[in-house]
Amino acid sequence: MELRTFHHHLLQGFMLLSFISNCCARFVVEKNSLTVTSPEKIKGTHDSAIGNFGIPQYGGSMAGVVVYPKENQKACKSFGDFGISFKSKPGSLPTFVLVDRGDCFFALKVWNVQQAGASAVLVADDIEEALITMDNPEEDSSSAKYIENITIPSALIEKTFGETLKKAISGGDMVNVNLDWREAVPHPDDRVEYELWTNSNDECGVKCDMLMAFVKDFKGAAQILEKGGYTQFTPHYITWYCPQAFTLSRQCKSQCINRGRYCAPDPEQDFSSGYEGKDVVIENLRQLCVFKVANETNRPWVWWDYVTDFQIRCPMKEKKYNKECADVVIKSLGLDAKKIEKCMGDPDADMENPVLKEEQDAQVGKGSRGDVTILPTLVVNNRQYRGKLAKGAVLKAICAGFEETTEPAVCLSGDVETNECLENNGGCWQDKAANLTACRDTFRGRVCECPLVDGVQFKGDGYSHCERENQDFICTD
Ligand SMILES: *[C@@H]1O[C@H](CO)[C@@H](O)[C@H](O)[C@H]1NC(C)=O
Ligand SMILES: *[C@@H]1O[C@H](CO)[C@@H](O)[C@H](O)[C@H]1NC(C)=O
Ligand SMILES: *[C@@H]1O[C@H](CO)[C@@H](O)[C@H](O)[C@H]1NC(C)=O
């Protein structure tokens, strides 16, 4: 067991390395500008790097007063323990807390500062280096609890700039700054192009759960934006390739399709049971083809329905993560199953798959966008999105991508409604004769839930069947 785990990690390391060394992974830091407006002697604009959590105010800016705490300067402990609060008095400027890098996760620092009532966090680097992105700790369930609740924005600043700020503060100056996200997303025209690098794997822990929750929550807004022609959305999926020398190994055979060309890690990290990496690659490929086929018929938004329905109806836990279940979802959404199968090609063939090849090529960064190596990644107008993957925050970033005055109403009101049940009953269960349907339009897109009729709750999956709980009055066919 130990050895297998070791080999597994080793192999994943190889897959990663072979990808990176092949195309020199480039990671672009999204900068937003930080301007010191007073005191006069340190006035000026500096780069800062947006953190991968919290809610950046895309399209807006925030002015505040910088405070450097006398104790707990790395913010690894709760400020309450030191009797420190950063709550600003009503009517005064928001408080930006300056903290030092080191000793604990970035996200924990930001959480501690938020708990103490501040409005934003500046983390001063502790070494001279180019700015990096502050990321979430990987797969840590204790931090997952607070990361979800981080709402204040944060940014990393360079060591020397941090020292300049500290010196001014300790000298008794009131330091005013302005953190500006208005140029964080390019906004050249009246259509926003955005892409989500995602994964169909529903058993990878905290990150997968967050991604799935986001897709479900964002679906309604995404579909309205797409139907209105305001956005052009493209889903993407990361795959690795198996190094040549390993293509015949058991690991590569179980994790890859097309003879080692396209691989994904084993979902349970266990080769001997459950689903294999290649099952994930195949479902990812199917989802890409669902998008392609839906897009060809000018209904690209059906992808959101497919992926959310697949999550609900075909989970790994219930051993339904397979083609049979996928086909039922495809059919319910009125998609052309033959075309999708043709698009997917033969996973056993010793040749490139054009759809996945295109995805691997797209993983390599171009222009202002770095390589995509982490999941999930959201790219808006070719800029990597930073911040929490949550509906409101993402909508803000997308809305910041429209040329001023061309923003669609959903950006201005946040009022989102869908009318998906009107078309093909939303792919949900229905009983035409009795005029009953499981389709219900909601703020978050349509859901398939068995109806409540005259006080009787119908039971079933909402997709293929619903029936009256009290069976006495049932007539079939
Ligand atoms: C996060 O917020 C939720 C909902 O507001 C709350 O139930 C939960 O306790 C919070 N978690 C932490 C660690 O504060
Ligand atoms: C989707 O369709 C649009 C217009 O028909 C096209 O411009 C775009 O490239 C297509 N996207 C993909 C990923 O095929
Ligand atoms: C079916 O039910 C809906 C709402 O429950 C109603 O608006 C519609 O008129 C009904 N159609 C028929 C044919 O009875």
Side-chain angles (χ1 to χ4, degrees):
M1 187 67 196
E2 281 297 312
L3 196 65
R4 188 171 59 209
T5 311
F6 172 72
H7 272 136
H8 176 76
H9 285 297
L10 189 70
L11 191 80
Q12 272 188 36
F14 269 126
M15 284 202 260
L16 199 85
L17 274 178
S18 56
F19 166 70
I20 289 174
S21 65
N22 196 40
C23 53
C24 1
R26 241 169 14 94
F27 194 67
V28 174
V29 173
E30 292 310 329
K31 295 171 181 174
N32 47 337
S33 51
L34 181 63
T35 305
V36 178
T37 51
S38 84
E40 192 70 33
K41 60 190 180 220
I42 60 165
K43 254 185 167 176
T45 297
H46 300 259
D47 279 339
S48 64
I50 309 175
N52 256 349
F53 35 75
I55 302 184
Q57 304 296 311
Y58 279 102
S61 65
M62 186 193 266
V65 179
V66 184
V67 170
Y68 184 51
K70 292 213 160 53
E71 290 173 286
N72 197 22
Q73 292 176 329
K74 288 185 178 157
C76 292
K77 297 195 181 107
S78 164
F79 282 96
D81 297 349
F82 298 86
I84 298 175
S85 164
F86 301 115
K87 285 207 174 64
S88 46
K89 296 193 181 66
S92 64
L93 278 172
T95 309
F96 283 41
V97 176
L98 176 64
V99 303
D100 292 316
R101 184 178 175 188
D103 290 358
C104 61
F105 291 131
F106 288 124
L108 180 60
K109 295 173 192 282
V110 176
W111 174 241
N112 284 334
V113 171
Q114 175 176 314
Q115 289 290 87
S119 302
V121 183
L122 302 177
V123 180
D125 207 344
D126 57 354
I127 45 172
E128 295 290 351
E129 62 173 346
L131 289 172
I132 58 163
T133 296
M134 299 187 288
D135 200 5
N136 285 308
E138 195 67 37
E139 303 298 319
D140 177 333
S141 56
S142 67
S143 56
K145 292 200 193 76
Y146 61 78
I147 284 173
E148 272 187 60
N149 292 17
I150 295 179
T151 51
I152 63 172
S154 57
L156 184 76
I157 60 173
E158 281 166 0
K159 185 177 182 222
T160 47
F161 177 44
E163 280 161 5
T164 305
L165 291 176
K166 287 177 204 168
K167 211 170 126 198
I169 293 165
S170 69
D173 280 313
M174 169 153 135
V175 177
N176 283 326
V177 294
N178 195 44
L179 197 49
D180 193 332
W181 295 267
R182 274 172 299 190
E183 300 305 321
V185 181
H187 41 101
D189 53 30
D190 61 1
R191 194 183 72 180
V192 170
E193 289 81 37
Y194 73 108
E195 29 183 272
L196 177 66
W197 288 80
T198 178
N199 193 350
S200 64
N201 181 355
D202 63 5
E203 284 293 317
C204 81
V206 173
K207 274 208 172 177
C208 284
D209 295 345
M210 271 181 166
L211 177 59
M212 302 278 155
F214 167 72
V215 170
K216 276 194 196 129
D217 203 26
F218 196 65
K219 182 180 105 163
Q223 292 183 326
I224 284 177
L225 288 166
E226 204 71 14
K227 286 178 187 172
Y230 298 113
T231 53
Q232 186 173 54
F233 169 74
T234 317
H236 284 294
Y237 294 81
I238 291 183
T239 59
W240 312 106
Y241 64 82
C242 183
Q244 195 82 51
F246 294 90
T247 49
L248 295 177
S249 69
R250 194 168 135 246
Q251 285 93 330
C252 279
K253 278 188 174 160
S254 81
Q255 300 193 58
C256 310
I257 63 169
N258 294 83
R259 304 277 171 101
R261 286 178 177 83
Y262 314 103
C263 317
D266 189 279
E268 303 93 350
Q269 317 251 317
D270 182 353
F271 295 117
S272 61
S273 73
Y275 290 99
E276 300 182 316
K278 75 174 175 200
D279 299 318
V280 175
V281 183
I282 288 175
E283 180 52 34
N284 286 351
L285 174 59
R286 183 174 293 114
Q287 300 193 352
L288 280 166
C289 286
V290 162
F291 179 77
K292 276 214 179 303
V293 170
N295 194 39
E296 276 166 19
T297 51
N298 297 319
R299 296 196 304 152
W301 52 84
V302 176
W303 178 87
W304 293 88
D305 287 322
Y306 176 81
V307 295
T308 50
D309 286 3
F310 184 81
Q311 263 171 48
I312 295 170
R313 305 182 74 179
C314 313
M316 288 184 181
K317 260 196 200 79
E318 295 174 20
K319 303 208 167 8
K320 289 182 184 159
Y321 186 90
N322 55 38
K323 179 178 188 311
E324 288 65 42
C325 191
D327 282 343
V328 174
V329 178
I330 286 170
K331 200 167 156 231
S332 74
L333 295 171
L335 289 160
D336 187 334
K338 283 225 171 66
K339 265 196 179 157
I340 291 170
E341 212 151 304
K342 182 153 177 267
C343 163
M344 289 177 69
D346 176 7
D348 296 322
D350 187 5
M351 57 190 280
E352 296 284 5
N353 175 303
V355 177
L356 290 174
K357 181 72 174 60
E358 214 174 285
E359 292 300 291
Q360 273 184 352
D361 291 345
Q363 273 170 247
V364 183
K366 283 180 211 80
S368 59
R369 198 208 77 198
D371 293 341
V372 177
T373 55
I374 47 174
L375 281 176
T377 291
L378 184 74
V379 178
V380 180
N381 279 350
N382 212 31
R383 283 288 174 83
Q384 224 139 318
Y385 165 85
R386 297 289 175 221
K388 186 170 161 171
L389 203 60
K391 181 178 166 185
V394 169
L395 203 50
K396 223 176 239 177
I398 289 174
C399 290
F402 293 103
E403 188 185 0
E404 280 89 347
T405 75
T406 68
E407 300 93 349
V410 32
C411 288
L412 307 172
S413 68
D415 194 24
V416 206
E417 273 176 22
T418 58
N419 290 305
E420 292 176 82
C421 292
L422 298 178
E423 209 183 301
N424 184 32
N425 195 45
C428 304
W429 172 87
Q430 74 181 132
D431 181 347
K432 277 207 177 106
N435 191 24
L436 294 176
T437 175
C439 193
R440 207 156 52 78
D441 276 311
T442 76
F443 182 71
R444 299 196 166 124
R446 75 100 178 83
V447 291
C448 298
E449 282 169 4
C450 294
L452 179 71
V453 185
D454 299 329
V456 180
Q457 179 63 55
F458 279 57
K459 294 267 173 185
D461 70 355
Y463 293 97
S464 57
H465 75 276
C466 287
E467 54 194 355
R468 216 179 272 269
E469 243 197 317
N470 180 345
Q471 308 244 322
D472 290 350
F473 305 105
I474 271 259
C475 329
T476 46
D477 296 339

